[in-house]
């Protein structure tokens, strides 16, 4: 087992554990903090796959901007106490069982695919570097890039319109 | 790294997100579970792009770039979605003084 595999397993365990803590923590603030841990471990996976641009964007956009927004809203509504009413235990069990059976079905379906012998290139290959991605983004994908700026503008206007007091 | 490992890791993360959506009642936590699901899909897309690159690098030196561009656009859309969604949650809190989704059952009656 070389160092890449060890890092892969550590990052996977951290990602799964912190994702589980997101959905089990009673306090919403702890959920947000565990979610940040999940995003950092996913960024570690991106670095392992040598997708450095996406790793940095993931940290800046998700762990930085979006999570600060979540924390801000939670603090604003003063939800940082364990105020969530208990859901019925049976309903919780039903949710967990249905999610688990979905996982079971998908794993059983994908266990014997043709992809079994394929490998993902780790640690090398320079398609994830910003030089290549930037060149592609501003040549082939110029129109979607510009449209996404319009999307951002409309999201901003929508958030302000929805959020402002009548 | 075998692609199978990435598939199963992403599946596990996605199913954790689904379980969270089904079992929690706090609208903000449901929203965070949706973010987990989006990130699971992103991770799988990046892994597949590297797989494609490994297979086709001899033919096309930049094979697999498209997958990572798609991940970038998914992140863009997710950021826009979060801003609007949190505005809706704030408005919901202002109207019913709670973020419990079970109070939003007016369509049921």
């Amino acid at each position: 087992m070389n160092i890449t595999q060890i890092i892969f397993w550590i990052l996977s365990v951290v990602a799964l554990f912190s994702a589980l803590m997101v959905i089990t923590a009673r306090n919403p603030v702890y959920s947000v903090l565990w979610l940040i841990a999940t995003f950092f471990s996913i960024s570690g996976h991106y670095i392992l796959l040598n997708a450095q641009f996406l790793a940095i964007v993931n940290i800046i956009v998700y762990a930085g901007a979006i999570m600060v927004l979540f924390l801000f809203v939670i603090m604003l509504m003063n939800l940082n106490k364990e105020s969530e009413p208990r859901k019925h235990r049976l309903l919780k069990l039903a949710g967990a069982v249905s999610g688990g059976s979905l996982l079971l079905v998908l794993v059983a379906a994908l266990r014997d695919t043709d992809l079994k012998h394929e490998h993902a290139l780790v640690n090398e290959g320079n398609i994830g570097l910003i030089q290549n991605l930037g060149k592609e983004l501003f040549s082939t994908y110029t129109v979607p890039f510009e449209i996404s700026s319009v999307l951002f503008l409309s999201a901003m206007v929508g958030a302000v319109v929805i959020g402002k007091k009548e | 790294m075998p692609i199978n490992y990435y598939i199963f890791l992403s599946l596990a993360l996605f199913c954790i997100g689904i379980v969270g959506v089904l079992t929690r009642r706090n609208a903000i936590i449901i929203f965070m579970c949706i973010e987990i699901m989006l990130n699971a899909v992103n991770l799988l897309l990046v892994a597949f792009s590297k797989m494609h690159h490994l297979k086709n690098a001899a033919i096309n030196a930049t094979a697999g770039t498209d997958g990572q561009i798609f991940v970038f656009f998914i992140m863009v859309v997710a950021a826009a979605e979060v801003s609007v969604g949190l505005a809706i949650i704030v408005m919901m809190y202002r109207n019913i003084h709670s973020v419990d989704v079970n109070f939003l059952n007016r369509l049921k009656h």
Side-chain angles (χ1 to χ4, degrees):
Chain A
M1 192 181 245
N2 57 14
I3 185 81
T4 308
Q5 282 169 318
I6 294 172
I7 295 175
F8 174 85
W9 287 112
I10 290 175
L11 285 173
S12 304
V13 168
V14 170
L16 289 176
F17 176 73
S18 42
L20 274 176
M21 289 307 287
V22 170
I23 66 170
T24 52
R26 299 227 64 86
N27 191 331
V29 177
Y30 290 158
S31 283
V32 172
L33 296 179
W34 281 114
L35 191 57
I36 292 175
T38 313
F39 287 158
F40 268 98
S41 54
I42 288 176
S43 286
H45 273 297
Y46 289 161
I47 292 174
L48 201 63
L49 287 163
N50 215 8
Q52 297 169 8
F53 174 66
L54 288 177
I56 291 299
V57 168
N58 199 42
I59 287 178
I60 292 175
V61 173
Y62 269 109
I66 293 182
M67 286 302 109
V68 168
L69 207 60
F70 270 104
L71 265 184
F72 187 71
V73 169
I74 287 176
M75 297 292 182
L76 191 74
M77 297 180 190
N78 206 9
L79 288 178
N80 48 355
K81 51 184 185 294
E82 294 153 19
S83 57
E84 186 177 348
R86 285 306 190 88
K87 199 166 186 167
H88 207 267
R89 191 168 288 278
L90 208 60
L91 283 177
K92 264 189 177 163
L93 190 69
V97 165
S98 45
S101 39
L102 176 68
L103 179 66
L104 196 70
V105 168
L106 286 174
V107 166
L110 291 173
R111 206 163 48 93
D112 276 329
T113 48
D114 295 338
L115 290 174
K116 204 162 56 176
H117 308 295
E118 304 284 349
H119 285 254
L121 188 62
V122 287
N123 272 337
E124 47 195 321
N126 50 10
I127 56 165
L129 303 188
I130 192 159
Q131 183 190 15
N132 178 38
L133 282 180
K135 222 178 271 174
E136 189 81 6
L137 195 61
F138 288 111
S139 58
T140 317
Y141 291 93
T142 317
V143 177
F145 186 76
E146 298 296 336
I147 290 176
S148 68
S149 72
V150 178
L151 175 74
F152 262 125
L153 183 66
S154 56
M156 199 171 76
V157 172
V160 170
V161 167
I162 291 172
K164 87 171 196 281
K165 270 211 162 71
E166 294 302 318
Chain B
M1 196 59 69
I3 194 74
N4 256 0
Y5 293 178
Y6 282 104
I7 293 177
F8 291 140
L9 173 65
S10 307
L11 272 182
L13 276 176
F14 192 83
C15 289
I16 287 173
I18 286 182
V19 171
V21 168
L22 291 178
T23 54
R24 298 303 296 260
R25 291 168 66 173
N26 190 331
I28 294 180
I29 293 180
I30 290 177
F31 212 43
M32 293 198 295
C33 291
I34 294 174
E35 297 299 316
I36 292 180
M37 285 149 75
L38 277 173
N39 266 278
V41 174
N42 281 352
L43 178 62
L44 194 57
L45 267 174
V46 174
F48 275 142
S49 98
K50 296 297 283 193
M51 183 192 94
H52 188 67
H53 182 66
L54 183 62
K55 251 174 117 176
N56 295 323
I59 310 165
N60 178 7
T62 62
T65 310
D66 303 358
Q68 305 207 4
I69 300 270
F70 283 150
V71 172
F72 178 69
F73 280 117
I74 290 175
M75 285 179 182
V76 166
V77 173
E81 173 225 335
V82 163
S83 64
V84 175
L86 281 176
I88 290 175
I89 290 177
V90 168
M91 191 191 66
M92 168 182 161
Y93 183 75
R94 200 183 288 146
N95 285 336
I96 63 177
H97 300 290
S98 164
V99 287
D100 192 338
V101 289
N102 279 24
F103 284 121
L104 296 178
N105 55 1
R106 210 169 290 170
L107 280 179
K108 216 158 74 175
H109 302 303

